[in-house]
Amino acid sequence: MNTEDAANAESTRMIHPATDDTLVLRTAAPVLQRGTTVLLDDYECFGRKAPTYGRGGLATQAALRQSLCDLEGGEVAELYPSGLAALSGAILAVCRTGDEILVCDTIYGPTRRFAETTMADYGVATRYFPADIAPGDLAAMIGPATRLIVLEAPGSLTLDMLDIPAVAAIARERGVLTLVDNTYAAGVLFKPLAHGVDISVQALTKYVCGHSDVFMGSAVASGEVGALLKRGARSVGWAVSSDDAYLALRGLRTLHARLARHGAAALEVATWLRGQPAVREVLCPALPGTPGHDLFARDYSAGNGLVTVILDGPESAEQAFLDALRLFGLGFSWGGFESLAIPCNGQIRQRHFAADTSNPVIRLHVGLEDTADLIRELDGALSAFAAAVGEDTQTGTGQPAGNIGAVAPSGRDAQGDSVINPAVAQTPPTMGV
Ligand SMILES: *Cc1c(COP(=O)(O)O)cnc(C)c1O
């Protein structure tokens, strides 16, 4: 401490301590820098371009942004305080009043709610299309007001595949932007920007943070779209805490290893489920022979931990299955270390294009537990389900198993026509994850 500083009062010295910069060592762990105020070296710094305030992020957020640009192959990565905020932030950043957005019907539910509430209030209209729409039909939906096409694949809950490169090519030709919710792939299993998509959004909350304890989202883009994202994020004032950014950076260190393990375990569970008599259908595009596998195999390097199973019996028997689970927690979300299960029919009924929901549709997240333990638990839950179906059939309160029209995972009715679900107009927007 120089003599001038040593002369200051104790209270002043606590605020302006003698610091030794040589003590800031390089560590294997990411850097954690907290702060709001950035101290400038001198008067000239007030005019410089470099960050002068902490809202846009300090060293920790900068390191995370850099890694996300690397992962997704983009020039600009913006951070948001949740995955939903990343989706809404990116959509707001590129749309103006009078625009229209085209949204895939199997999109994450809260994205639908955002489009139908806030965007509608701002004079941006939304139209939906089914995940299996023919590229020509989608091209025909594009009008002069169409600004953005919002995609997600595999889709939420039913894991429907979409031909993203084909949609991106059509959109580009017509001067329309595309945004992919790339949460399933965690930026690793599929690279939207390399397939012609303009914006890749992720809920980092899921696999990147990976431990069920952080909310965060990202949007990555390049060129003019990247500049729009940046402008939108800066003008609205999105900020994420340094501690959360640190946890996201820590998650990135093990992301590939965790994803590989989730993906392999999910394939094992899906393969086992497919052979069970109480299972009507397994939705897991990474598994050969399931819906969407060909597209998936073409564009994705591997699957994640999600598997959706359609049980063979009435919906009234799903409680027996879910209440028999212990290792699989009953909880929304996925992408953490743990196994989870949720019933999906309530959310699927919010969609505009009909899917058969007469059988229980259960989404599983296969966690990092021992897979044999998980399969043993699912075996018991399927037995409980089969017993409940038997009781149901005897008392005549439910439909007998195996007597229900084929599920149309494509979102089409039996004739293959697109149908608008009349229940949608009366039901409130979906809230689930
Ligand atoms: C969870 C999820 C989100 C939202 O992430 P939050 O951080 O919970 O807001 C967005 N998209 C998909 C596909 C998700 O699964």
Side-chain angles (χ1 to χ4, degrees), residues 81-87 107-108 110-111 152 154-156 181-184 201-206 214-217 306 333-334 363 433:
S82 72
L84 180 58
L87 287 158
I107 200 78
Y108 176 65
T111 304
E152 182 183 337
S156 275
D181 182 334
N182 198 32
T183 303
Y184 177 100
V201 172
Q202 272 201 67
L204 303 174
T205 307
K206 305 291 167 55
V214 181
F215 279 103
M216 202 184 299
L306 292 174
S333 197
W334 45 275
R363 187 191 67 197
V433 180

mmCIF file of all heavy atoms in Angstrom, residues 81-87 107-108 110-111 152 154-156 181-184 201-206 214-217 306 333-334 363 433, ligand 1:
data_model
loop_
_atom_site.group_PDB
_atom_site.id
_atom_site.type_symbol
_atom_site.label_atom_id
_atom_site.label_comp_id
_atom_site.label_asym_id
_atom_site.label_seq_id
_atom_site.Cartn_x
_atom_site.Cartn_y
_atom_site.Cartn_z
ATOM 1 N N PRO A 81 -32.252 -14.466 -19.848
ATOM 2 C CA PRO A 81 -32.412 -15.089 -18.526
ATOM 3 C C PRO A 81 -33.223 -16.388 -18.512
ATOM 4 O O PRO A 81 -33.357 -16.988 -17.445
ATOM 5 C CB PRO A 81 -33.103 -13.992 -17.703
ATOM 6 C CG PRO A 81 -33.735 -13.102 -18.700
ATOM 7 C CD PRO A 81 -32.902 -13.161 -19.935
ATOM 8 N N SER A 82 -33.757 -16.831 -19.639
ATOM 9 C CA SER A 82 -34.399 -18.149 -19.720
ATOM 10 C C SER A 82 -34.447 -18.542 -21.196
ATOM 11 O O SER A 82 -34.211 -17.703 -22.074
ATOM 12 C CB SER A 82 -35.828 -18.122 -19.147
ATOM 13 O OG SER A 82 -36.694 -17.412 -20.022
ATOM 14 N N GLY A 83 -34.788 -19.790 -21.447
ATOM 15 C CA GLY A 83 -34.944 -20.230 -22.834
ATOM 16 C C GLY A 83 -36.102 -19.519 -23.494
ATOM 17 O O GLY A 83 -36.031 -19.117 -24.667
ATOM 18 N N LEU A 84 -37.189 -19.347 -22.746
ATOM 19 C CA LEU A 84 -38.353 -18.656 -23.310
ATOM 20 C C LEU A 84 -38.010 -17.206 -23.644
ATOM 21 O O LEU A 84 -38.422 -16.673 -24.676
ATOM 22 C CB LEU A 84 -39.539 -18.735 -22.336
ATOM 23 C CG LEU A 84 -40.813 -18.052 -22.811
ATOM 24 C CD1 LEU A 84 -41.293 -18.611 -24.143
ATOM 25 C CD2 LEU A 84 -41.906 -18.178 -21.747
ATOM 26 N N ALA A 85 -37.216 -16.559 -22.771
ATOM 27 C CA ALA A 85 -36.804 -15.178 -23.046
ATOM 28 C C ALA A 85 -35.939 -15.113 -24.307
ATOM 29 O O ALA A 85 -35.995 -14.132 -25.057
ATOM 30 C CB ALA A 85 -36.047 -14.592 -21.856
ATOM 31 N N ALA A 86 -35.140 -16.156 -24.553
ATOM 32 C CA ALA A 86 -34.327 -16.184 -25.779
ATOM 33 C C ALA A 86 -35.230 -16.268 -27.005
ATOM 34 O O ALA A 86 -35.000 -15.586 -28.012
ATOM 35 C CB ALA A 86 -33.362 -17.365 -25.745
ATOM 36 N N LEU A 87 -36.276 -17.105 -26.916
ATOM 37 C CA LEU A 87 -37.200 -17.234 -28.039
ATOM 38 C C LEU A 87 -37.956 -15.929 -28.268
ATOM 39 O O LEU A 87 -38.021 -15.412 -29.389
ATOM 40 C CB LEU A 87 -38.183 -18.379 -27.770
ATOM 41 C CG LEU A 87 -37.561 -19.780 -27.883
ATOM 42 C CD1 LEU A 87 -38.351 -20.807 -27.115
ATOM 43 C CD2 LEU A 87 -37.443 -20.169 -29.356
ATOM 44 N N ILE A 107 -44.390 -26.772 -31.884
ATOM 45 C CA ILE A 107 -43.460 -25.888 -31.171
ATOM 46 C C ILE A 107 -43.697 -26.007 -29.657
ATOM 47 O O ILE A 107 -44.788 -26.369 -29.208
ATOM 48 C CB ILE A 107 -43.661 -24.422 -31.655
ATOM 49 C CG1 ILE A 107 -42.452 -23.553 -31.356
ATOM 50 C CG2 ILE A 107 -44.911 -23.798 -31.035
ATOM 51 C CD1 ILE A 107 -41.332 -23.785 -32.318
ATOM 52 N N TYR A 108 -42.669 -25.684 -28.893
ATOM 53 C CA TYR A 108 -42.739 -25.583 -27.431
ATOM 54 C C TYR A 108 -43.930 -24.684 -27.036
ATOM 55 O O TYR A 108 -44.068 -23.560 -27.542
ATOM 56 C CB TYR A 108 -41.413 -24.967 -26.981
ATOM 57 C CG TYR A 108 -41.272 -24.670 -25.528
ATOM 58 C CD1 TYR A 108 -41.262 -25.688 -24.580
ATOM 59 C CD2 TYR A 108 -41.132 -23.363 -25.084
ATOM 60 C CE1 TYR A 108 -41.103 -25.403 -23.239
ATOM 61 C CE2 TYR A 108 -40.958 -23.072 -23.742
ATOM 62 C CZ TYR A 108 -40.952 -24.102 -22.825
ATOM 63 O OH TYR A 108 -40.806 -23.817 -21.505
ATOM 64 N N PRO A 110 -45.050 -22.640 -24.548
ATOM 65 C CA PRO A 110 -44.967 -21.213 -24.208
ATOM 66 C C PRO A 110 -44.571 -20.303 -25.382
ATOM 67 O O PRO A 110 -44.880 -19.110 -25.366
ATOM 68 C CB PRO A 110 -43.916 -21.194 -23.091
ATOM 69 C CG PRO A 110 -44.097 -22.531 -22.427
ATOM 70 C CD PRO A 110 -44.335 -23.482 -23.574
ATOM 71 N N THR A 111 -43.890 -20.839 -26.406
ATOM 72 C CA THR A 111 -43.593 -20.038 -27.602
ATOM 73 C C THR A 111 -44.899 -19.696 -28.318
ATOM 74 O O THR A 111 -45.106 -18.579 -28.796
ATOM 75 C CB THR A 111 -42.669 -20.820 -28.560
ATOM 76 O OG1 THR A 111 -41.500 -21.201 -27.844
ATOM 77 C CG2 THR A 111 -42.278 -19.981 -29.758
ATOM 78 N N GLU A 152 -39.029 -26.133 -34.806
ATOM 79 C CA GLU A 152 -38.401 -26.900 -33.733
ATOM 80 C C GLU A 152 -38.400 -28.356 -34.169
ATOM 81 O O GLU A 152 -39.423 -28.878 -34.602
ATOM 82 C CB GLU A 152 -39.194 -26.747 -32.431
ATOM 83 C CG GLU A 152 -38.574 -27.490 -31.259
ATOM 84 C CD GLU A 152 -39.426 -27.374 -29.999
ATOM 85 O OE1 GLU A 152 -40.216 -26.419 -29.885
ATOM 86 O OE2 GLU A 152 -39.300 -28.258 -29.143
ATOM 87 N N PRO A 154 -36.347 -32.309 -33.118
ATOM 88 C CA PRO A 154 -37.660 -32.933 -33.064
ATOM 89 C C PRO A 154 -38.611 -32.067 -32.232
ATOM 90 O O PRO A 154 -38.180 -31.421 -31.280
ATOM 91 C CB PRO A 154 -37.389 -34.273 -32.363
ATOM 92 C CG PRO A 154 -35.924 -34.530 -32.582
ATOM 93 C CD PRO A 154 -35.280 -33.186 -32.601
ATOM 94 N N GLY A 155 -39.889 -32.052 -32.600
ATOM 95 C CA GLY A 155 -40.852 -31.165 -31.960
ATOM 96 C C GLY A 155 -41.059 -31.503 -30.492
ATOM 97 O O GLY A 155 -40.721 -32.592 -30.034
ATOM 98 N N SER A 156 -41.606 -30.542 -29.753
ATOM 99 C CA SER A 156 -41.853 -30.758 -28.335
ATOM 100 C C SER A 156 -42.848 -31.898 -28.138
ATOM 101 O O SER A 156 -43.804 -32.046 -28.907
ATOM 102 C CB SER A 156 -42.383 -29.477 -27.687
ATOM 103 O OG SER A 156 -41.300 -28.634 -27.305
ATOM 104 N N ASP A 181 -35.642 -23.557 -32.744
ATOM 105 C CA ASP A 181 -35.442 -23.851 -31.322
ATOM 106 C C ASP A 181 -34.602 -25.126 -31.290
ATOM 107 O O ASP A 181 -35.097 -26.219 -31.545
ATOM 108 C CB ASP A 181 -36.787 -24.049 -30.623
ATOM 109 C CG ASP A 181 -36.625 -24.306 -29.118
ATOM 110 O OD1 ASP A 181 -35.558 -24.801 -28.714
ATOM 111 O OD2 ASP A 181 -37.586 -24.036 -28.366
ATOM 112 N N ASN A 182 -33.305 -24.960 -30.997
ATOM 113 C CA ASN A 182 -32.334 -26.054 -31.102
ATOM 114 C C ASN A 182 -32.038 -26.682 -29.740
ATOM 115 O O ASN A 182 -30.967 -27.258 -29.527
ATOM 116 C CB ASN A 182 -31.046 -25.510 -31.740
ATOM 117 C CG ASN A 182 -30.152 -26.599 -32.297
ATOM 118 O OD1 ASN A 182 -30.644 -27.640 -32.759
ATOM 119 N ND2 ASN A 182 -28.848 -26.385 -32.254
ATOM 120 N N THR A 183 -32.996 -26.568 -28.816
ATOM 121 C CA THR A 183 -32.764 -27.077 -27.459
ATOM 122 C C THR A 183 -32.530 -28.585 -27.459
ATOM 123 O O THR A 183 -31.683 -29.084 -26.719
ATOM 124 C CB THR A 183 -33.957 -26.716 -26.561
ATOM 125 O OG1 THR A 183 -34.134 -25.299 -26.597
ATOM 126 C CG2 THR A 183 -33.719 -27.133 -25.115
ATOM 127 N N TYR A 184 -33.271 -29.324 -28.284
ATOM 128 C CA TYR A 184 -33.107 -30.782 -28.338
ATOM 129 C C TYR A 184 -31.637 -31.134 -28.587
ATOM 130 O O TYR A 184 -31.076 -31.999 -27.926
ATOM 131 C CB TYR A 184 -33.993 -31.376 -29.442
ATOM 132 C CG TYR A 184 -33.831 -32.879 -29.609
ATOM 133 C CD1 TYR A 184 -34.755 -33.768 -29.057
ATOM 134 C CD2 TYR A 184 -32.747 -33.419 -30.305
ATOM 135 C CE1 TYR A 184 -34.600 -35.142 -29.191
ATOM 136 C CE2 TYR A 184 -32.581 -34.785 -30.437
ATOM 137 C CZ TYR A 184 -33.508 -35.644 -29.883
ATOM 138 O OH TYR A 184 -33.350 -36.999 -30.011
ATOM 139 N N VAL A 201 -31.757 -20.907 -31.516
ATOM 140 C CA VAL A 201 -32.072 -20.559 -30.128
ATOM 141 C C VAL A 201 -31.971 -21.820 -29.283
ATOM 142 O O VAL A 201 -32.322 -22.910 -29.735
ATOM 143 C CB VAL A 201 -33.498 -19.965 -30.028
ATOM 144 C CG1 VAL A 201 -33.905 -19.782 -28.569
ATOM 145 C CG2 VAL A 201 -33.564 -18.633 -30.765
ATOM 146 N N GLN A 202 -31.485 -21.660 -28.062
ATOM 147 C CA GLN A 202 -31.444 -22.792 -27.138
ATOM 148 C C GLN A 202 -31.927 -22.376 -25.767
ATOM 149 O O GLN A 202 -31.598 -21.284 -25.307
ATOM 150 C CB GLN A 202 -29.999 -23.220 -26.904
ATOM 151 C CG GLN A 202 -29.415 -24.201 -27.827
ATOM 152 C CD GLN A 202 -28.209 -24.852 -27.135
ATOM 153 O OE1 GLN A 202 -28.352 -25.577 -26.162
ATOM 154 N NE2 GLN A 202 -27.036 -24.578 -27.643
ATOM 155 N N ALA A 203 -32.636 -23.283 -25.104
ATOM 156 C CA ALA A 203 -32.807 -23.162 -23.662
ATOM 157 C C ALA A 203 -31.562 -23.804 -23.054
ATOM 158 O O ALA A 203 -31.455 -25.028 -22.994
ATOM 159 C CB ALA A 203 -34.072 -23.871 -23.205
ATOM 160 N N LEU A 204 -30.610 -22.972 -22.645
ATOM 161 C CA LEU A 204 -29.391 -23.498 -22.003
ATOM 162 C C LEU A 204 -29.750 -24.163 -20.676
ATOM 163 O O LEU A 204 -28.973 -24.951 -20.135
ATOM 164 C CB LEU A 204 -28.387 -22.364 -21.774
ATOM 165 C CG LEU A 204 -27.962 -21.572 -23.024
ATOM 166 C CD1 LEU A 204 -27.078 -20.390 -22.631
ATOM 167 C CD2 LEU A 204 -27.222 -22.461 -24.009
ATOM 168 N N THR A 205 -30.932 -23.798 -20.176
ATOM 169 C CA THR A 205 -31.520 -24.422 -18.983
ATOM 170 C C THR A 205 -31.448 -25.945 -19.050
ATOM 171 O O THR A 205 -31.313 -26.607 -18.022
ATOM 172 C CB THR A 205 -33.011 -24.015 -18.915
ATOM 173 O OG1 THR A 205 -33.100 -22.596 -19.004
ATOM 174 C CG2 THR A 205 -33.680 -24.491 -17.644
ATOM 175 N N LYS A 206 -31.562 -26.494 -20.243
ATOM 176 C CA LYS A 206 -31.658 -27.940 -20.401
ATOM 177 C C LYS A 206 -30.251 -28.565 -20.382
ATOM 178 O O LYS A 206 -29.642 -28.612 -19.350
ATOM 179 C CB LYS A 206 -32.444 -28.263 -21.677
ATOM 180 C CG LYS A 206 -33.842 -27.588 -21.708
ATOM 181 C CD LYS A 206 -34.791 -28.172 -20.681
ATOM 182 C CE LYS A 206 -36.065 -27.360 -20.454
ATOM 183 N NZ LYS A 206 -36.866 -27.081 -21.629
ATOM 184 N N VAL A 214 -30.411 -23.984 -13.207
ATOM 185 C CA VAL A 214 -30.157 -22.675 -13.824
ATOM 186 C C VAL A 214 -31.160 -22.432 -14.946
ATOM 187 O O VAL A 214 -31.431 -23.346 -15.732
ATOM 188 C CB VAL A 214 -28.745 -22.620 -14.475
ATOM 189 C CG1 VAL A 214 -28.494 -21.244 -15.090
ATOM 190 C CG2 VAL A 214 -27.661 -22.967 -13.474
ATOM 191 N N PHE A 215 -31.686 -21.219 -15.026
ATOM 192 C CA PHE A 215 -32.454 -20.803 -16.204
ATOM 193 C C PHE A 215 -31.562 -19.917 -17.075
ATOM 194 O O PHE A 215 -30.964 -18.959 -16.572
ATOM 195 C CB PHE A 215 -33.676 -19.966 -15.802
ATOM 196 C CG PHE A 215 -34.850 -20.796 -15.361
ATOM 197 C CD1 PHE A 215 -35.155 -20.916 -14.011
ATOM 198 C CD2 PHE A 215 -35.637 -21.461 -16.285
ATOM 199 C CE1 PHE A 215 -36.231 -21.689 -13.603
ATOM 200 C CE2 PHE A 215 -36.713 -22.233 -15.882
ATOM 201 C CZ PHE A 215 -37.017 -22.346 -14.540
ATOM 202 N N MET A 216 -31.476 -20.231 -18.348
ATOM 203 C CA MET A 216 -30.754 -19.345 -19.275
ATOM 204 C C MET A 216 -31.078 -19.737 -20.715
ATOM 205 O O MET A 216 -31.438 -20.894 -20.983
ATOM 206 C CB MET A 216 -29.240 -19.413 -19.063
ATOM 207 C CG MET A 216 -28.530 -18.176 -19.600
ATOM 208 S SD MET A 216 -26.749 -18.266 -19.467
ATOM 209 C CE MET A 216 -26.570 -18.394 -17.721
ATOM 210 N N GLY A 217 -30.975 -18.773 -21.615
ATOM 211 C CA GLY A 217 -31.209 -19.059 -23.021
ATOM 212 C C GLY A 217 -30.196 -18.332 -23.887
ATOM 213 O O GLY A 217 -29.527 -17.396 -23.432
ATOM 214 N N LEU A 306 -34.486 -37.877 -24.681
ATOM 215 C CA LEU A 306 -35.951 -37.856 -24.733
ATOM 216 C C LEU A 306 -36.522 -39.055 -25.491
ATOM 217 O O LEU A 306 -36.056 -39.386 -26.585
ATOM 218 C CB LEU A 306 -36.435 -36.566 -25.397
ATOM 219 C CG LEU A 306 -36.198 -35.282 -24.603
ATOM 220 C CD1 LEU A 306 -36.587 -34.058 -25.436
ATOM 221 C CD2 LEU A 306 -36.977 -35.287 -23.289
ATOM 222 N N SER A 333 -39.726 -30.134 -17.639
ATOM 223 C CA SER A 333 -38.330 -29.912 -18.006
ATOM 224 C C SER A 333 -37.616 -31.229 -18.316
ATOM 225 O O SER A 333 -38.200 -32.317 -18.213
ATOM 226 C CB SER A 333 -37.561 -29.151 -16.931
ATOM 227 O OG SER A 333 -36.362 -28.637 -17.492
ATOM 228 N N TRP A 334 -36.357 -31.099 -18.738
ATOM 229 C CA TRP A 334 -35.486 -32.219 -19.093
ATOM 230 C C TRP A 334 -34.100 -31.637 -19.314
ATOM 231 O O TRP A 334 -33.908 -30.427 -19.220
ATOM 232 C CB TRP A 334 -35.990 -32.936 -20.359
ATOM 233 C CG TRP A 334 -36.412 -32.064 -21.515
ATOM 234 C CD1 TRP A 334 -37.637 -31.484 -21.701
ATOM 235 C CD2 TRP A 334 -35.612 -31.637 -22.639
ATOM 236 N NE1 TRP A 334 -37.647 -30.752 -22.860
ATOM 237 C CE2 TRP A 334 -36.422 -30.841 -23.465
ATOM 238 C CE3 TRP A 334 -34.293 -31.898 -23.015
ATOM 239 C CZ2 TRP A 334 -35.952 -30.258 -24.643
ATOM 240 C CZ3 TRP A 334 -33.829 -31.325 -24.204
ATOM 241 C CH2 TRP A 334 -34.661 -30.517 -24.996
ATOM 242 N N ARG A 363 -44.094 -38.463 -22.015
ATOM 243 C CA ARG A 363 -42.728 -38.119 -22.406
ATOM 244 C C ARG A 363 -41.774 -38.473 -21.272
ATOM 245 O O ARG A 363 -41.979 -38.063 -20.126
ATOM 246 C CB ARG A 363 -42.577 -36.640 -22.723
ATOM 247 C CG ARG A 363 -41.168 -36.358 -23.303
ATOM 248 C CD ARG A 363 -40.839 -34.901 -23.411
ATOM 249 N NE ARG A 363 -40.719 -34.291 -22.100
ATOM 250 C CZ ARG A 363 -40.757 -32.977 -21.902
ATOM 251 N NH1 ARG A 363 -40.926 -32.162 -22.917
ATOM 252 N NH2 ARG A 363 -40.636 -32.479 -20.677
ATOM 253 N N VAL A 433 -43.902 -27.451 -20.036
ATOM 254 C CA VAL A 433 -42.564 -27.409 -20.601
ATOM 255 C C VAL A 433 -42.334 -28.650 -21.438
ATOM 256 O O VAL A 433 -42.574 -29.731 -20.980
ATOM 257 C CB VAL A 433 -41.519 -27.350 -19.479
ATOM 258 C CG1 VAL A 433 -40.134 -27.302 -20.077
ATOM 259 C CG2 VAL A 433 -41.753 -26.160 -18.604
HETATM 260 C C1 LIG B 1 -37.550 -25.782 -21.779
HETATM 261 C C2 LIG B 1 -37.641 -25.346 -23.170
HETATM 262 C C3 LIG B 1 -37.656 -23.989 -23.488
HETATM 263 C C4 LIG B 1 -37.702 -22.902 -22.451
HETATM 264 O O1 LIG B 1 -36.627 -22.858 -21.597
HETATM 265 P P1 LIG B 1 -36.761 -22.119 -20.179
HETATM 266 O O2 LIG B 1 -35.376 -21.851 -19.774
HETATM 267 O O3 LIG B 1 -37.492 -23.062 -19.284
HETATM 268 O O4 LIG B 1 -37.541 -20.854 -20.390
HETATM 269 C C5 LIG B 1 -37.706 -23.636 -24.823
HETATM 270 N N1 LIG B 1 -37.740 -24.557 -25.783
HETATM 271 C C6 LIG B 1 -37.736 -25.871 -25.516
HETATM 272 C C7 LIG B 1 -37.794 -26.838 -26.639
HETATM 273 C C8 LIG B 1 -37.702 -26.304 -24.206
HETATM 274 O O5 LIG B 1 -37.741 -27.608 -23.954
#
